């Protein structure tokens, strides 16, 4: 779809049937703009996405990668100097004991949330406009969380002892304090990063199979074969894949809200004015989604100009939809700012009132007003459709939003700390070149990773975008050649008989027809999943969800037992029964007068562990139920299947061991619409 294109009715390929469309009323149907540039076909999606990977890199890619890679080395240089010298090279001092390191940590962790929101929550709500955006969004989430995870590791001072943050017993048999919000951070961030990587990789498996069949270079072909784990796009695989993918999306949806909520507890759990507020968890969550959408817009809008092929998939309607989210979350963030000011005044607490008055009129007032302008005022331009439909204006608003979200963390951390309860200790915070180098270097690292991803992996989820073309296959996949003659001899079909069909609908009709005639050992193959595929092949409900439930219950029990046993005194009756090493498991910590078993404080780690084990259960369930990895299948030796099954081909296989397998099968397959029939040897 070209810039400014509008359609009066949903697009359909020439000659495609309008079957399934509701009849137009007298007032006219509800028009929705298309989500794919016409004429969008299944084959054109594969060609459009793969051409950037297969052709030489554009002239701008290598210089941009080199520049961002050099900027990323600032992280290594600054960290090397920091480890060799100490955290005194930062600008932190009393009372500003947290500086750029924590600001950058919260900023990057927040950015990582919109990728999950687009890919997971919009999947659960069946928003199809996400199909062209989710792959890039998931990548930004992983890269942003990876950049953010650097800063807690270096902030501990003694970096070689950062493993103390992991919930394992230390060498002196002291367990971490599970009541501490800093440990919640570790559990939340590591869980979110792990589940996001699993979700991202799981979504890439079908596309890895497509690249496997298109790749000509031997070792790259083997690499994609390993990454795809022998994926064949069978109805059985799609059946379990969709269930596991949906379960992972369901897990990531609450993780979006939990991770930044737990990060906010680093502040809200204290008594410092400006931090001690119950509004922080939803406040941080809304700000994270706002900043994440802004980063995705900042990346994708220039890419549409630099990579013209992306305009076939990322249309103005996608930019407009994300602009609406930016407006919604920006307005919510602005509402929270006003709520904070009102609560500080309404509390009648002189310390709270002064903390916020200091933000407005103090030495850091420019940062506060810059934050308010970028995050709350600038997004209000997006109320106007004419603004939302101009990508470069949306780009400018998104850039301001990113600046504003970084300033928000600066305001929360530095301004709240620089004037504490003792006026004699008041001082201003001045970042050093190490602070600035870590910030700039982390931005360079993020862009460097994204450019590598852009060059070597598909930025568009091909199989999901192909689902938007459903209905076009009848026209685009049809072969001009007539079906081959019936196979007179089936001796070579030692494994089974394969057939190609012109469309998804024809494939389902063929599967149902064979099952009605008593065939049971059949399988259907489609380059994308669609409703009715598993039923036509005779597959029942996937049991991957049971794996997710069982693994989640196991994770819940392990976390509960770990937290309770490491928090209660050593039972006296067990002293003579257990070895001293097992007795080390019991090590009670009395913290702030809290009970040994503090259920509210234990909830964070229990929730994250449950989500982590559930994610592993989803992935393992998909692999076990689909018999993956399986690197060789007899169908792979059929050249037509290898060339088109992952692209635009629809295939059916009848196994030789089916009781109904007979010499009449080729004639039957041609009668139900097969375009080409082939004997498949073992």
């Amino acid at each position: 779809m070209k810039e400014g294109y509008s359609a009066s009715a949903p697009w359909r390929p020439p000659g495609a049937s309008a079957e399934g469309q509701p009849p137009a009323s007298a007032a006219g149907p509800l028009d929705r703009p298309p989500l794919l540039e016409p004429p969008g076909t299944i084959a054109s999606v594969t060609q459009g996405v793969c051409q950037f990977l297969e052709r030489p890199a554009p002239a701008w890619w290598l210089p941009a990668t080199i520049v961002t890679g050099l900027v990323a080395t600032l992280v290594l240089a600054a960290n090397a100097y920091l480890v060799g010298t100490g955290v005194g090279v930062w600008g932190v001092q009393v009372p500003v004991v947290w500086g750029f390191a924590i600001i950058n940590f919260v900023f990057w962790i927040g950015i990582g949330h919109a990728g999950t929101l687009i890919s997971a929550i919009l999947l659960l709500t069946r928003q199809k406009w996400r199909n062209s955006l989710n792959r890039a969004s998931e990548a930004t989430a992983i890269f942003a969380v990876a950049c953010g995870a650097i800063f807690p590791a270096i902030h501990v001072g003694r970096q070689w002892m950062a493993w103390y943050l992991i919930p394992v017993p230390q060498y002196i048999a002291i367990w971490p304090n599970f009541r501490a919000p800093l440990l919640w951070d570790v559990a939340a961030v590591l869980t979110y990063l792990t589940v996001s990587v699993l979700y991202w990789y799981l979504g890439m498996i079908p596309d890895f199979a497509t690249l496997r069949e298109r790749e000509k270079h031997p070792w790259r072909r083997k690499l994609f074969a390993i990454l795809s784990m022998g994926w064949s796009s069978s109805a059985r695989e799609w059946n379990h894949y969709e269930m596991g993918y949906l379960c992972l999306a369901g897990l990531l949806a609450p993780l979006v809200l939990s991770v930044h909520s737990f990060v906010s507890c680093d502040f809200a759990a204290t008594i410092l004015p400006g931090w001690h507020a119950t509004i922080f968890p939803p406040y941080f969550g809304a700000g994270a989604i706002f900043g994440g959408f802004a980063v995705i817009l900042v990346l994708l809008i220039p890419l549409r100009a630099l990579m013209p092929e992306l305009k076939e998939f990322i249309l103005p309607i996608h930019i407009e939809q994300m602009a609406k989210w930016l407006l919604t979350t920006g307005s919510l963030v602005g509402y929270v700012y006003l709520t904070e000011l009102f609560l500080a005044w309404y509390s009648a607490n002189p310390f709270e009132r002064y903390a916020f008055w200091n933000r407005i009129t103090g030495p850091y007032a420019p940062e506060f007003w810059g934050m308010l302008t970028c995050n709350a005022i600038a997004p209000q331009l997006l109320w106007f459709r004419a603004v939302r439909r101009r990508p470069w204006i949306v780009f400018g608003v998104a850039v301001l939003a990113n600046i504003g979200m970084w300033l928000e963390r600066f305001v929360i951390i530095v301004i709240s700390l620089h004037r504490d309860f003792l006026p004699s200790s008041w001082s201003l915070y001045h970042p050093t070149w190490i602070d600035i180098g870590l910030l700039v270097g982390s931005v360079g690292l993020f862009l460097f990773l994204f450019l590598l991803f852009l060059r070597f992996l598909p930025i568009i989820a091909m199989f999901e975008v192909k689902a938007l073309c459903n209905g076009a296959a009848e026209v685009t996949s049809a072969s001009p050649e007539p079906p081959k003659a019936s196979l007179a001899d089936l001796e070579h079909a030692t494994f089974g008989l394969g057939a190609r069909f012109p469309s998804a609908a024809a494939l389902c009709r063929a599967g149902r027809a064979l099952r009605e005639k008593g065939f049971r050992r059949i399988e259907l193959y489609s380059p994308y999943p669609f409703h009715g595929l598993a039923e036509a092949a005779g597959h029942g409900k996937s049991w991957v969800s049971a794996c997710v439930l069982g693994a989640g219950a196991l994770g819940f029990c392990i976390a509960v037992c770990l937290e309770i046993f490491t928090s209660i005194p050593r039972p006296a009756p067990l002293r003579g029964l257990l070895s001293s090493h097992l007795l080390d498991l019991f090590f009670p910590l009395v913290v702030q007068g809290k009970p040994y078993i503090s259920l509210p404080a234990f909830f964070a780690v229990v929730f994250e562990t449950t989500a982590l084990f559930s994610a592993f259960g989803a992935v393992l369930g998909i692999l076990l139920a689909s018999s993956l990895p399986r690197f060789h299948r007899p169908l792979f030796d059929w050249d037509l299947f290898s060339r088109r099954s992952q692209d635009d081909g629809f295939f059916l296989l009848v196994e030789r061991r089916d009781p109904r397998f007979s010499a009449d099968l080729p004639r039957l397959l041609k009668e139900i619409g097969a375009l080409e029939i082939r004997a498949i040897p073992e």
Side-chain angles (χ1 to χ4, degrees):
M1 188 167 84
K2 308 303 180 188
E3 297 288 346
Y5 174 85
S6 62
S8 59
W11 172 82
R12 292 191 299 271
S17 171
E19 180 181 357
Q21 297 292 336
S25 62
L30 178 62
D31 297 335
R32 293 185 178 180
L35 298 176
L36 192 64
E37 178 180 297
T41 65
I42 300 175
S44 70
V45 170
T46 306
Q47 183 63 29
V49 175
C50 292
Q51 62 178 332
F52 183 72
L53 306 177
E54 296 171 348
R55 71 186 185 190
W60 58 266
W61 182 84
L62 184 59
T65 304
I66 293 175
V67 170
T68 55
L70 292 175
V71 174
T73 58
L74 286 175
V75 173
L76 298 177
N79 277 332
Y81 185 73
L82 170 70
V83 173
T85 309
V87 294
V89 299
W90 286 340
V92 294
Q93 78 288 318
V94 177
V96 186
V97 294
W98 284 1
F100 270 28
I102 301 300
I103 295 172
N104 297 338
F105 164 66
V106 181
F107 173 73
W108 284 117
I109 294 299
I111 284 176
H113 285 62
T116 304
L117 176 77
I118 289 178
S119 188
I121 295 181
L122 296 183
L123 172 64
L124 296 174
T125 56
R126 307 296 184 185
Q127 299 296 309
K128 292 186 177 181
W129 62 269
R130 65 173 282 281
N131 290 15
S132 298
L133 306 171
N134 65 315
R135 181 65 51 74
S137 304
E138 293 164 13
T140 59
I142 294 172
F143 302 151
V145 174
C147 290
I150 295 173
F151 295 98
I154 63 177
H155 193 264
V156 296
R158 295 180 176 87
Q159 289 76 18
W160 53 92
M161 300 177 71
W163 65 275
Y164 274 26
L165 297 171
I166 308 298
V168 295
Q170 300 169 11
Y171 69 95
I172 55 175
I174 297 179
W175 288 83
N177 179 18
F178 289 103
R179 304 174 184 86
L182 290 177
L183 187 61
W184 304 350
D185 275 2
V186 175
V189 172
L190 291 181
T191 298
Y192 183 74
L193 178 60
T194 304
V195 178
S196 296
V197 170
L198 290 175
Y199 187 69
W200 184 51
Y201 174 68
L202 193 65
M204 295 277 283
I205 289 177
D207 288 353
F208 283 142
T210 302
L211 297 177
R212 175 195 67 202
E213 303 304 336
R214 293 178 62 91
E215 184 57 58
K216 305 302 181 183
H217 196 282
W219 72 262
R220 284 200 294 263
R221 184 181 177 89
K222 290 181 180 180
L223 175 62
F224 286 130
I226 294 172
L227 292 174
S228 66
M229 293 191 280
W231 179 268
S232 64
S233 296
S234 67
R236 177 190 179 192
E237 291 172 348
W238 283 124
N239 186 32
H240 298 302
Y241 180 90
E242 284 196 291
M243 176 59 71
Y245 200 58
L246 196 64
C247 289
L248 272 180
L251 291 171
L252 279 169
L255 280 178
V256 170
L257 304 176
S258 69
V259 174
H260 230 46
S261 296
F262 295 150
V263 170
S264 73
C265 291
D266 295 347
F267 308 92
T270 69
I271 60 171
L272 188 71
W275 289 6
H276 188 61
T278 56
I279 200 174
F280 262 43
Y283 172 22
F284 273 49
I289 295 170
F290 174 68
F293 266 102
V295 166
I296 295 170
L297 285 168
V298 167
L299 292 174
L300 293 186
I301 291 176
L303 281 180
R304 291 179 74 248
L306 294 171
M307 300 170 56
E309 57 269 24
L310 279 184
K311 292 185 178 181
E312 301 175 14
F313 307 104
I314 303 176
L315 310 182
I317 182 62
H318 295 101
I319 305 297
E320 186 175 357
Q321 291 290 343
M322 286 195 290
K324 291 178 181 178
W325 274 93
L326 200 65
L327 170 63
T328 302
T329 51
S331 300
L332 184 58
V333 168
Y335 170 75
V336 173
Y337 293 160
L338 296 177
T339 302
E340 275 195 306
L341 294 173
F342 171 77
L343 291 178
W345 167 81
Y346 189 71
S347 67
N349 185 325
F351 301 106
E352 288 285 345
R353 288 183 174 181
Y354 180 78
F356 282 88
W357 184 250
N358 183 46
R359 291 184 183 182
I360 298 172
T361 63
Y364 293 111
E367 285 80 358
F368 172 81
W369 290 108
M371 172 198 75
L372 195 63
T373 301
C374 294
N375 294 343
I377 298 176
Q380 303 310 311
L381 294 173
L382 301 176
W383 280 105
F384 305 100
R385 180 176 296 180
V387 174
R388 295 197 303 268
R389 291 188 172 182
R390 286 172 170 79
W392 290 106
I393 298 181
V394 177
F395 174 79
V397 174
V399 170
L400 291 177
N402 282 302
I403 296 173
M405 290 311 298
W406 191 91
L407 289 174
E408 178 191 285
R409 278 64 184 227
F410 182 91
V411 168
I412 291 174
I413 294 173
V414 173
I415 301 183
S416 298
L417 285 172
H418 89 107
R419 290 185 177 177
D420 61 4
F421 295 98
L422 191 62
S424 61
S425 66
W426 289 359
S427 64
L428 296 178
Y429 170 74
H430 300 287
T432 64
W433 72 268
I434 295 292
D435 294 309
I436 298 173
L438 285 172
L439 171 60
V440 176
S442 65
V443 175
L445 177 62
F446 175 80
L447 295 176
F448 177 70
L449 294 175
F450 188 81
L451 286 171
L452 292 179
F453 158 73
L454 185 69
R455 182 71 185 105
F456 298 108
L457 294 175
I459 192 175
I460 303 293
M462 288 183 278
F463 77 94
E464 295 201 55
V465 175
K466 287 176 183 178
L468 301 176
C469 304
N470 197 5
E474 194 83 46
V475 177
T476 61
S477 302
S479 173
E481 59 179 332
K484 289 185 177 180
S486 61
L487 298 177
D489 188 3
L490 297 182
E491 291 182 0
H492 296 294
T494 55
F495 180 74
L497 201 63
R500 183 173 69 91
F501 289 84
S503 68
L507 181 67
C508 283
R509 288 194 298 267
R512 287 192 292 266
L514 290 180
R515 288 189 58 79
E516 289 174 358
K517 293 181 180 296
F519 288 86
R520 291 297 177 264
R521 308 296 301 189
I522 66 174
E523 186 58 277
L524 310 182
Y525 297 85
S526 168
Y528 61 89
F530 55 87
H531 180 69
L533 178 63
E535 290 80 3
H539 299 300
K541 183 178 180 181
S542 173
W543 46 267
V544 172
S545 56
C547 295
V548 175
L549 180 62
L554 176 63
F556 175 85
C557 294
I558 290 176
V560 169
C561 293
L562 179 65
E563 291 188 310
I564 291 179
F565 289 152
T566 58
S567 301
I568 62 177
R570 298 176 178 178
L574 299 180
R575 291 180 181 271
L577 301 177
L578 300 176
S579 67
S580 59
H581 293 292
L582 291 178
L583 284 176
D584 288 340
L585 177 66
F586 303 95
F587 197 98
L589 291 176
V590 180
V591 180
Q592 298 174 351
K594 295 178 180 177
Y596 289 135
I597 301 176
S598 181
L599 295 182
F602 288 171
F603 170 78
V605 175
V606 170
F607 173 80
E608 300 297 336
T609 306
T610 302
L612 181 63
F613 274 68
S614 298
F616 286 133
V619 175
L620 291 177
I622 292 173
L623 298 181
L624 292 175
S626 304
S627 299
L628 295 175
R630 186 180 176 186
F631 296 107
H632 180 265
R633 301 169 188 265
L635 267 174
F636 289 168
D637 295 328
W638 184 10
D639 181 65
L640 180 65
F641 180 86
S642 296
R643 284 188 290 107
R644 302 192 62 175
S645 63
Q646 306 299 327
D647 186 5
D648 64 344
F650 299 89
F651 293 85
L652 182 146
L653 171 69
V654 182
E655 295 186 21
R656 179 85 185 206
R657 53 182 174 170
D658 193 293
R660 303 283 297 176
F661 194 92
S662 66
D664 292 333
L665 184 56
R667 177 186 57 80
L668 177 60
L669 290 174
K670 285 192 293 185
E671 288 178 355
I672 59 179
L675 296 178
E676 185 167 346
I677 304 171
R678 171 71 181 271
I680 308 298
E682 186 67 47

